[in-house]
Amino acid sequence: MAKRALTVDDSKTMRDMVAFTLKGAGFDVLEAEDGVHALSVLKGQTVDVVITDINMPNMDGVSLVKELRAKPEFKSTPILILTTEGGDDKKASGRAAGATGWIVKPFAPDKLLSVVNKVCP
């Protein structure tokens, strides 16, 4: 059975790039445009990995990570932050929220897959 990923980004182009990369590696991919939409998409769903941007309207990525970590079914789900933000303070807030890893945009597809496969064997 294929692994499932959720990609969360307010940029449709970025969601498409991540989805294209993951689908090429055999993943089923769900998409959401912000944290609020992501929580709605995940109702009754399970995923093997979540990849989220930080800067989004309605609910940002760090808040989404905190919300997911508060739910028993997502306690151990790998959550990767994919963002243009590379500052140590942002990384620290992501880690404190419960993020598994951090990838800076623009990303190389092979690097994304390498990180995803590492956290989601």
Side-chain angles (χ1 to χ4, degrees), residues 15-89:
R15 286 195 316 271
D16 289 348
M17 286 171 50
V18 172
F20 179 81
T21 300
L22 293 173
K23 286 176 182 174
F27 279 79
D28 284 336
V29 180
L30 303 172
E31 296 182 32
E33 60 204 26
D34 60 40
V36 172
H37 186 214
L39 292 173
S40 144
V41 166
L42 287 172
K43 277 201 173 84
Q45 301 274 357
T46 59
V47 292
D48 297 292
V49 63
V50 174
I51 302 169
T52 184
D53 186 19
I54 284 190
N55 300 314
M56 300 178 290
N58 302 318
M59 180 189 290
D60 69 11
V62 172
S63 298
L64 174 61
V65 173
K66 288 179 186 167
E67 290 275 336
L68 290 175
R69 289 297 184 223
K71 298 175 181 299
E73 64 270 33
F74 294 105
K75 279 259 188 263
S76 62
T77 302
I79 303 174
L80 299 172
I81 294 179
L82 176 65
T83 184
T84 56
E85 302 277 349
D88 289 341
D89 56 332

Side-chain angles (χ1 to χ4, degrees), residues 95-117:
R95 268 195 301 276
T100 311
W102 194 279
I103 303 167
V104 177
K105 295 176 191 172
F107 68 93
D110 57 337
K111 167 98 167 105
L112 177 69
L113 288 175
S114 167
V115 173
V116 168
N117 287 324

